[in-house]
């Protein structure tokens, strides 16, 4: 009779040593090690953004941000689950934005910190979906909401970009706003909105 034995590898999750087969994700490895499994909670498909983790691999000084349901455990891997940050404080109702001419002013009222982007790239580095988060914020600040929203199509609202931002921008919520307002209002052409934005900043003068 042939017996198939699984080779277990060792990893550390939240400071506790576990052993599990290498084909398991971080969350599955926890269950394999005997940690309680709460049924009907979590997507395990990388779409809900709730299992954000810091990962340090063996013989590496680098720390990466990933989703615990998507990253497979490796020998010597160290993993720590992250608590969610303070919820974003942006509040708005789309029905209060009566037409697309008002979108830009409303955006800067809702997200005044968006113009303070330092271009540090921290949001891009932390995004487990590989979204060009920084560019999305820049596009939205310029009034190019359709383009900004398109960049955030794969966003799972894990809030890692928000945690990494030194200016307390909530880039994922900028992306959601861009998508929502585009669908809601079918915004005016971006080049026209850009011109209005330059007028708002005093970069253009109207000569009558």
């Amino acid at each position: 009779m042939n017996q198939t034995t699984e080779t277990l590898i060792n990893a550390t999750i939240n400071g506790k040593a576990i052993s599990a087969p290498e084909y398991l994700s971080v969350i599955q490895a926890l269950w394999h090690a005997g940690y309680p499994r709460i049924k009907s909670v979590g997507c395990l498909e990388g779409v809900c953004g709730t299992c954000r983790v810091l990962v340090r691999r063996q013989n590496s000084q680098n720390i990466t941000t990933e989703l615990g349901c998507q990253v497979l455990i490796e020998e010597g891997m160290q993993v720590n689950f992250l608590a969610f940050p303070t919820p974003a404080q942006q509040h708005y109702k789309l029905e209060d934005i009566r037409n697309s001419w008002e979108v830009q002013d409303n955006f800067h009222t809702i997200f005044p910190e968006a113009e303070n982007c330092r271009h540090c790239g921290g949001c891009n580095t932390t995004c487990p979906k590989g979204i060009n988060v920084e560019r999305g914020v820049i596009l939205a600040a310029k009034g190019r909401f359709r383009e900004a929203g398109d960049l955030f199509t794969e966003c799972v609202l894990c809030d890692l970009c928000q945690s990494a931002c030194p200016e307390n921008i909530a880039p994922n919520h900028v992306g959601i706003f861009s998508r929502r307002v585009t669908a809601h209002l079918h915004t005016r052409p971006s080049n026209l909105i850009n011109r209005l934005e330059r007028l708002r900043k005093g970069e253009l003068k109207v000569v009558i």
Side-chain angles (χ1 to χ4, degrees):
M1 180 176 178
N2 294 327
Q3 292 184 342
T4 302
T5 58
E6 292 182 324
T7 301
L8 301 182
I9 60 175
N10 303 303
T12 302
I13 302 179
N14 286 348
K16 297 181 179 180
I18 68 163
S19 295
E22 61 183 353
Y23 56 81
L24 296 182
S25 69
V26 167
I27 291 179
Q28 291 171 326
L30 282 175
W31 294 338
H32 184 276
Y35 286 78
R37 176 175 182 174
I38 302 176
K39 294 183 178 180
S40 301
V41 176
C43 64
L44 296 186
E45 296 293 338
V47 297
C48 70
T50 59
C51 57
R52 25 186 264 141
V53 294
L54 292 177
V55 176
R56 181 176 178 180
R57 290 172 170 80
Q58 191 175 43
N59 300 322
S60 175
Q61 297 299 315
N62 295 326
I63 296 177
T64 59
T65 49
E66 313 202 30
L67 297 177
C69 65
Q70 298 287 282
V71 60
L72 302 181
I73 62 169
E74 301 174 14
E75 183 67 37
M77 176 184 280
Q78 299 178 43
V79 181
N80 282 284
F81 280 82
L82 293 171
F84 276 89
T86 302
Q89 300 301 309
Q90 294 81 17
H91 301 286
Y92 60 90
K93 294 181 180 179
L94 288 179
E95 54 266 30
D96 292 339
I97 305 176
R98 294 171 297 180
N99 57 67
S100 58
W101 300 107
E102 299 179 1
V103 176
Q104 191 69 0
D105 283 341
N106 278 269
F107 174 81
H108 288 288
T109 299
I110 299 166
F111 300 97
E113 63 282 350
E115 288 187 300
N116 299 329
C117 176
R118 301 184 188 182
H119 311 291
C120 66
C123 52
N124 290 346
T125 302
T126 57
C127 179
K129 291 295 187 177
I131 297 170
N132 192 338
V133 180
E134 181 183 307
R135 176 165 173 75
V137 172
I138 294 170
L139 288 172
K142 292 180 177 179
R144 297 162 64 178
F145 297 108
R146 184 180 298 277
E147 296 172 70
D150 288 344
L151 286 177
F152 284 91
T153 300
E154 298 296 323
C155 177
V156 295
L157 289 174
C158 66
D159 284 335
L160 284 168
C161 56
Q162 181 181 347
S163 300
C165 181
E167 293 293 343
N168 295 317
I169 301 171
N172 48 352
H173 290 276
V174 169
I176 292 299
F177 174 88
S178 299
R179 294 177 64 188
R180 293 183 70 199
V181 81
T182 298
H184 182 64
L185 295 175
H186 302 289
T187 53
R188 300 289 197 272
S190 61
N191 60 339
L192 177 56
I193 294 179
N194 290 338
R195 185 62 60 88
L196 293 173
E197 174 65 0
R198 294 184 66 188
L199 286 170
R200 183 185 73 83
K201 292 181 177 180
E203 296 175 358
L204 290 178
K205 293 183 179 181
V206 178
V207 179
I208 299 177

